């Protein structure tokens, strides 16, 4: 039981490049989330998926797209990376009727 | 809007000292309140939570009480250890549990 896993752990991009961050959970959770963590700002919600087949914007969705591929997997795509997207990205999941979110180890992204 | 404010760090303590990290919240409804901990290089882990006024959450010697009258959820520990060195995040979860708001985080360093 690995919980929430994320790949890659670290990535360097040039401005304008695209990439997809992968997230998977093996806890049979319905809801999944993508956050970014910036110094002095805590975590901010980018997108979430309340259930398979649905996605919704969070607090800071601009510049990102998501796909809920199936119940286990929720990916985050940067179509044209910008230096402002340099951050640490965390995926999380939550079971139905639960309040606690379970977090992955994070992906550190540097955009030059 | 709904938000969490926690004391700025960093906080540096000697081993066995008493710890308090202040957290206050603003919410239109009746949120659940959480403390998460992030150890170096890892994702966030739930430390404790409280779901209604006057509830006390506790775990690993840490405690926090949901105070509706002061809109606070301060984290305390009577005797910290070096292994408690981490970043601590206060958070609230709104009624639909898909919108979790985090404080900026407080970095705690405990010296032997």
């Amino acid at each position: 039981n690995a919980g929430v896993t994320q790949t890659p752990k670290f990535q360097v991009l040039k401005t304008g490049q695209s990439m997809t961050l992968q997230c998977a959970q093996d806890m049979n959770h319905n809801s999944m989330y993508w956050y970014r963590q910036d110094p002095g700002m805590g975590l901010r919600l980018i997108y979430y998926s309340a259930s398979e087949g649905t996605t919704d914007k969070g607090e800071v969705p601009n510049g990102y797209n998501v796909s809920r591929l199936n119940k286990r997997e929720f990916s985050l795509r940067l179509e044209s990376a910008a230096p402002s997207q340099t951050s640490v990205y965390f995926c999380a999941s939550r079971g139905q009727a639960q309040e606690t979110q379970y977090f992955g180890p994070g992906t550190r992204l540097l955009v030059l | 809007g709904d938000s969490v404010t926690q004391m700025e760090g960093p906080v540096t303590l000697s081993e066995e000292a008493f710890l308090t990290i202040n957290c206050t919240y603003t919410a239109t409804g009746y949120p659940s309140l959480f403390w998460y901990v992030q150890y170096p290089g890892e994702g966030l882990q739930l430390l404790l939570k409280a779901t209604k006024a006057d509830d006390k959450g506790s775990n690993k010697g840490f405690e926090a009480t949901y105070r509706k009258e002061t809109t606070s959820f301060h984290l305390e520990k009577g005797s910290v250890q070096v292994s408690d060195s981490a970043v601590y995040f206060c958070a609230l979860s709104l009624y639909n549990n898909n919108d979790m708001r985090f404080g900026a985080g407080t970095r705690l360093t405990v010296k032997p």
Side-chain angles (χ1 to χ4, degrees):
Chain A
N1 189 340
V4 180
T5 57
Q6 294 182 234
T7 55
K9 288 189 184 336
F10 180 70
Q11 184 73 45
V12 179
L13 292 179
K14 294 181 179 178
T15 296
Q17 287 185 318
S18 63
M19 80 162 293
T20 300
L21 283 64
Q22 306 286 354
C23 172
Q25 53 90 11
D26 61 2
M27 296 176 281
N28 201 35
H29 285 170
N30 288 327
S31 302
M32 297 185 73
Y33 308 83
W34 276 106
Y35 292 90
R36 59 178 289 171
Q37 182 184 28
D38 300 296
M41 301 187 73
L43 277 71
R44 292 180 292 168
L45 183 64
I46 304 171
Y47 271 94
Y48 69 94
S49 170
S51 61
E52 188 178 353
T54 68
T55 60
D56 285 286
K57 295 178 180 180
E59 185 182 355
V60 289
N62 291 344
Y64 305 95
N65 286 301
V66 291
S67 295
R68 183 72 181 269
L69 305 170
N70 47 56
K71 192 171 186 179
R72 289 188 63 247
E73 299 172 288
F74 187 39
S75 62
L76 178 72
R77 183 161 178 83
L78 287 70
E79 290 291 351
S80 179
S84 60
Q85 294 178 305
T86 292
S87 188
V88 181
Y89 291 86
F90 286 101
C91 178
S93 70
R94 179 178 66 83
Q96 193 169 5
Q98 294 180 357
E99 291 182 300
T100 303
Q101 293 187 15
Y102 295 85
F103 286 80
T107 294
R108 187 174 296 274
L109 176 65
L110 175 61
V111 183
L112 302 174
Chain B
D2 301 301
S3 65
V4 173
T5 302
Q6 60 182 104
M7 66 184 283
E8 292 185 15
V11 174
T12 302
L13 295 173
S14 297
E15 207 164 23
E16 299 184 1
F18 184 85
L19 169 71
T20 300
I21 301 178
N22 290 338
C23 172
T24 58
Y25 69 89
T26 302
T28 51
Y30 300 96
S32 295
L33 301 174
F34 303 80
W35 278 101
Y36 279 84
V37 58
Q38 183 181 29
Y39 298 104
E42 299 183 10
L44 278 69
Q45 304 173 22
L46 178 68
L47 181 59
L48 54 85
K49 69 177 183 181
T51 58
K52 61 182 186 298
D54 299 325
D55 271 1
K56 176 185 283 189
S58 61
N59 186 25
K60 300 181 181 179
F62 291 90
E63 292 183 341
T65 301
Y66 189 145
R67 301 284 187 201
K68 184 180 174 185
E69 63 276 12
T70 54
T71 62
S72 65
F73 192 56
H74 305 321
L75 182 68
E76 296 182 338
K77 187 175 185 183
S79 176
V80 294
Q81 305 300 313
V82 172
S83 57
D84 294 327
S85 297
V87 181
Y88 293 81
F89 292 92
C90 186
L92 66 80
S93 175
L94 301 174
Y95 72 96
N96 64 1
N97 293 323
N98 284 322
D99 194 353
M100 183 168 277
R101 304 294 174 91
F102 289 84
T106 302
R107 182 177 299 278
L108 170 67
T109 301
V110 180
K111 296 188 174 181

